[in-house]
């Protein structure tokens, strides 16, 4: 992990810098240090910018980092509101991402984690997220999970 950090510091303009940061975050999470992993993920997220002309300067890890940030907040740090914000950002502000369906399913999971047991409002917002996934991405690899959750929640 330290080697990845050294590589990203020594070669800040390298095309592999984000790879090093990403792999360091994965290792830190596996080692049980979600705050340090999140710190690395934020480095990637802070690099997001819009191109002045056609194209993008953004890291290929950008949407993955946004999803991982939400998962770290939800599963590791139990900061549900931050998780909801991260997943909502991915679902709404990353128009080209192939992870928007993942974000919507994770968003439903986060809404259900707000309270124990989930309130009626939590269930409704989770259903809204699942319905959006099924309506917008009918061929998603998350369809089966979304349908199961919809059935479990008795979504309308």
């Amino acid at each position: 992990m330290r080697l990845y950090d050294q590589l990203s510091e020594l070669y800040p303009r390298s095309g592999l810098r984000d790879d090093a940061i990403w792999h360091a975050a994965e290792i830190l999470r596996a080692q049980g240090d979600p705050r340090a992993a999140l710190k690395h993920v934020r480095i990637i997220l802070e690099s997001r910018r819009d191109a002045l002309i056609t194209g993008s300067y953004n890291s290929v890890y950008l949407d993955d980092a946004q999803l991982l940030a939400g998962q770290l907040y939800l599963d590791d740090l139990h900061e549900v509101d931050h998780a909801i914000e991260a997943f909502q950002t991915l679902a709404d502000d990353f128009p080209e991402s192939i992870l928007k369906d993942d974000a919507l399913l994770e968003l439903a999971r986060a809404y259900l984690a707000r309270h124990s047991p989930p309130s009626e409002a939590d269930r409704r917002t989770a259903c809204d997220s699942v319905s959006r996934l099924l309506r917008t991405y009918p061929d998603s690899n998350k369809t089966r999970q979304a349908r199961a959750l919809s059935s479990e929640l008795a979504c309308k």
Side-chain angles (χ1 to χ4, degrees):
M1 196 274 311
R2 277 184 233 156
L3 180 60
Y4 286 128
D5 285 341
Q6 288 174 343
L7 287 170
S8 70
E9 289 171 19
L10 288 172
Y11 304 100
R13 298 201 186 281
S14 169
L16 298 176
R17 177 179 179 264
D18 289 345
D19 295 78
I21 295 168
W22 179 258
H23 291 303
E26 289 180 317
I27 291 169
L28 287 162
R29 187 180 192 196
Q31 290 176 341
D33 193 349
R35 292 239 179 256
L38 189 58
K39 181 180 170 189
H40 282 73
V41 167
R42 284 188 185 135
I43 293 169
I44 295 171
L45 293 174
E46 289 168 1
S47 72
R48 184 178 185 195
R49 60 185 185 192
D50 295 325
L52 297 175
I53 55 174
T54 303
S56 174
Y57 302 117
N58 292 325
S59 169
V60 297
Y61 288 105
L62 194 60
D63 55 347
D64 296 278
Q66 189 68 41
L67 183 66
L68 181 57
Q71 291 168 335
L72 286 164
Y73 280 126
L74 183 60
D75 299 327
D76 299 71
L77 300 171
H78 310 290
E79 296 178 16
V80 177
D81 290 335
H82 285 109
I84 289 171
E85 182 181 340
F87 296 135
Q88 194 73 56
T89 297
L90 179 54
D92 294 337
D93 296 344
F94 285 73
E96 303 300 319
S97 177
I98 62 169
L99 298 176
K100 292 171 70 120
D101 54 340
D102 296 73
L104 289 168
L105 189 61
E106 292 290 325
L107 187 58
R109 203 167 61 87
Y111 284 132
L112 294 172
R114 268 189 158 161
H115 303 99
S116 183
S119 69
E120 189 56 39
D122 297 333
R123 290 178 184 279
R124 235 184 351 265
T125 52
C127 283
D128 290 345
S129 185
V130 168
S131 295
R132 180 178 167 193
L133 187 161
L134 292 170
R135 182 180 62 254
T136 310
Y137 307 103
D139 297 326
S140 166
N141 65 346
K142 299 296 178 185
T143 300
R144 184 176 300 162
Q145 289 173 278
R147 284 188 181 136
L149 184 56
S150 180
S151 177
E152 178 184 328
L153 296 173
C155 297
K156 297 176 186 173

